Amino acid sequence: MTTRHHTTTHSADGTPIHIETIGPENAPTIVLAHGWTCATPFWAPVVNHLPDDLRIILYDQRGHGLSHRPAQRTAYTTTALADDLTAVLQTTLPDDTPAIIAGHSMGGMTLMAAADRPAFRNRAAAIALISTGATRLPHTSTVLPLFPTDSRPRAALHRLALTAPLPLGPKTPLTKAAIRYITMAPGSDPAMTDVCARIVHNCHPTARANWGRVLGTLELAHRLPHLDMPATLIHGTKDRLIPIPHAHHLHDTLPDARELIEIPDAAHMTPLEAPRTVADALTRLARTHLTTTTPTTGDKKNDKKAEAHA
């Protein structure tokens, strides 16, 4: 059976952050940070394809999953993202222990926010930025393409959608279709679409709106020069939330971008839409940049798979 451990750490402001660790102690480690409206179960399809000689660290961003949901709007900032990741790394990895650190969407922005933190830099042997961007997200999104790209009306409309604190209500065919349109490609696996809808529905509307305000005014381009460790970029070609030009910008801007993986016919939720592609990229990073004692490859056995639950 896979070793599985749950724990709680506390961020700089005292916010409790939930952590899940999978795999053998002292094994080469991959740390995964999920995105907006998601939680640790989001990574289950990727974890299922990772080799069993790796240690996987997952955590819930504040306001998501089993982590605490602060009531104050001021507790939701890019500084808080960096504080939470720093706390997770300090809790789970000894000083200067290298790891692969990967983030999807807001998780990728978390890496950008933490780029100059010693606790992050001393542990990040390499990074993966998945379906993410650093700046001007509402201007470039094509979810509501009613105005020209990069126009003020388009940005205002997308900011309004990001910050609406309205409950999604019960999961219905209509809400499921809306989530699929926004986050996934038309040909996505229906089972993964259902997983996505279930996870997004479970995000509290207050946390969703508070983080939406952060994303609506995001500006992290000035942090990119600090991400000078080897980087892999992964992006779906049909991403409406954060279109693929953001990946091209990151590839051209990061000091040590090694690989840009464009996933045809995938949209924003690439870890759900193409989990093997994402897992293979993370495995290559681990094999290249971390010391492994057991050169096994292949998927986890059935009794070792992560549960895709929400």
Side-chain angles (χ1 to χ4, degrees), residues 196-283:
C196 179
R198 190 163 67 247
I199 292 173
V200 172
H201 268 269
N202 280 350
C203 182
H204 194 279
T206 299
R208 187 179 71 240
N210 283 331
W211 279 124
R213 291 185 183 93
V214 174
L215 300 180
T217 57
L218 187 78
E219 180 49 73
L220 290 172
H222 63 290
R223 297 297 185 93
L224 297 181
H226 296 287
L227 286 176
D228 54 2
M229 60 288 297
T232 289
L233 309 172
I234 305 171
H235 218 102
T237 62
K238 295 187 176 180
D239 193 335
R240 293 186 179 94
L241 273 174
I242 305 178
I244 198 166
H246 284 277
H248 297 157
H249 170 70
L250 292 173
H251 186 262
D252 293 341
T253 305
L254 290 172
D256 195 10
R258 302 282 181 95
E259 187 177 19
L260 171 55
I261 301 170
E262 298 187 14
I263 305 178
D265 301 323
H268 188 65
M269 297 300 200
T270 42
L272 296 180
E273 297 174 274
R276 184 180 291 276
T277 300
V278 174
D280 287 349
L282 295 175
T283 301

Side-chain angles (χ1 to χ4, degrees), residues 123-147:
R123 292 169 172 84
I127 61 172
L129 299 176
I130 307 167
S131 305
T132 193
T135 182
R136 299 178 64 79
L137 305 183
H139 297 78
T140 57
S141 174
T142 61
V143 171
L144 303 171
L146 302 179
F147 297 96

